[in-house]
Amino acid sequence: MARAATTSDVFNAIAEQQRREILVLLRAREVPVTELAQELGMTQPGASKHLRVLREVGLVRDRKAGKHRLYGLDARGLRPVHEWTGGFEQFWNESFDRLDAYVQDLKQERQEE
Amino acid sequence: MARAATTSDVFNAIAEQQRREILVLLRAREVPVTELAQELGMTQPGASKHLRVLREVGLVRDRKAGKHRLYGLDARGLRPVHEWTGGFEQFWNESFDRLDAYVQDLKQERQEE
DNA sequence: TTGACGTATGCCGATATCGGTATATGATTG
DNA sequence: CAATCATATACCGATATCGGCATACGTCAA
């Protein structure tokens, strides 16, 4: 079965480093594929494929602009990810406490050896 | 090259639905593998493997507890994801405007046909 | 229409994933 | 120690990924 298709899941789409870089770049402005590929040091087909994935999950959209095709950001799809991770916010601090308990536990184990 | 190893990247680790479910479950309490597998309807080896990935990216830690091995949440690794997506927050609303412009563009294209 | 530019797709190889089953490893109890 | 329970790992098959190269498709201008 392998992994869920990147094309159907925002979490998967942004699991790829280069795609995240693309999104960051698109935060600044709309960009045609060629320029994007150049700036991020990827091949044009490579960039095209990543953009396809991003488009299919709705994080990016494109519009014709003369000879070019401009890609632009549609960040709404990132909101669920932000909110999901936000659901763990209360644990970011608490985690220290738990970690502390964990460390205590380790110490105890050592003493028992 | 395939995808970046899930084991070295939190974004990849949470790209998997079942692993996200595990994290949510661990928000409530520490749990041994068997129980976790049962509650989430996966096999024990399956759960074990997912936990391994989560442990290797630091989202989960384990401690011995008698005959069991309890897995607990360490959500700190989710913070970078939250913050990264948060970097797009200002675009969630703006996206509507851009989308609007996009729609206008589509209309225009149709008229040109 | 032809040519030139911009972009997308097809195909391939190498690799990693995920799920399942069987089995090994570990830990606890009698 | 042996038996039992808990957990991890190995191996496998099916599939999907990503990158690169070649090439098809699309669009504009002369």
Side-chain angles (χ1 to χ4, degrees):
Chain A
M1 199 181 282
R3 184 173 297 178
T6 61
T7 179
S8 61
D9 181 353
V10 172
F11 280 90
N12 266 289
I14 66 170
E16 165 69 42
Q17 170 71 28
Q18 304 214 54
R19 284 198 287 263
R20 271 176 306 206
E21 289 173 12
I22 290 176
L23 292 175
V24 170
L25 178 62
L26 292 184
R27 215 157 42 176
R29 64 190 185 287
E30 290 180 313
V31 174
V33 181
T34 309
E35 188 180 331
L36 192 154
Q38 226 170 5
E39 297 210 24
L40 297 182
M42 34 181 130
T43 63
Q44 176 270 311
S48 232
K49 284 175 199 166
H50 282 312
L51 283 169
R52 188 188 214 282
V53 173
L54 292 172
R55 194 181 34 194
E56 283 177 348
V57 300
L59 288 173
V60 143
R61 59 205 145 60
D62 61 301
R63 62 175 243 262
K64 289 192 297 181
K67 195 179 289 187
H68 291 270
R69 176 166 288 271
L70 292 183
Y71 278 89
L73 182 65
D74 185 352
R76 286 174 293 163
L78 290 178
R79 189 169 184 171
V81 179
H82 187 69
E83 285 174 354
W84 186 82
T85 51
F88 292 84
E89 193 162 7
Q90 50 181 306
F91 296 93
W92 291 336
N93 304 309
E94 187 183 338
S95 290
F96 285 105
D97 304 338
R98 292 202 188 177
L99 182 61
D100 198 54
Y102 173 61
V103 172
Q104 295 305 322
D105 212 69
L106 280 181
K107 283 185 188 170
Q108 205 172 351
E109 282 176 21
R110 276 190 193 160
Q111 289 175 355
E112 288 167 357
E113 282 174 12
Chain B
M1 200 179 282
R3 183 174 297 179
T6 61
T7 179
S8 61
D9 181 354
V10 173
F11 280 89
N12 266 289
I14 65 169
E16 165 68 42
Q17 171 71 27
Q18 304 214 58
R19 285 197 286 264
R20 276 183 309 232
E21 288 173 13
I22 290 177
L23 292 176
V24 169
L25 178 61
L26 292 184
R27 215 156 42 176
R29 66 191 184 286
E30 291 182 312
V31 174
V33 181
T34 310
E35 187 181 332
L36 192 154
Q38 224 169 7
E39 297 210 22
L40 297 183
M42 31 181 132
T43 64
Q44 176 270 313
S48 232
K49 286 176 204 165
H50 282 312
L51 283 170
R52 189 188 213 284
V53 173
L54 291 173
R55 194 180 34 195
E56 284 177 348
V57 299
L59 288 173
V60 143
R61 60 204 145 59
D62 61 301
R63 64 175 241 262
K64 290 192 298 182
K67 193 179 293 188
H68 291 271
R69 177 167 287 272
L70 291 182
Y71 278 89
L73 183 64
D74 184 353
R76 285 174 294 163
L78 290 178
R79 188 169 184 172
V81 179
H82 187 68
E83 286 174 354
W84 186 81
T85 51
F88 292 85
E89 193 163 8
Q90 50 182 307
F91 296 93
W92 290 336
N93 304 310
E94 188 183 338
S95 290
F96 284 106
D97 304 339
R98 292 202 187 177
L99 182 62
D100 198 53
Y102 173 62
V103 172
Q104 296 305 323
D105 212 71
L106 280 182
K107 283 184 187 169
Q108 206 172 349
E109 281 178 22
R110 278 189 191 162
Q111 290 174 353
E112 288 168 357
E113 283 173 12

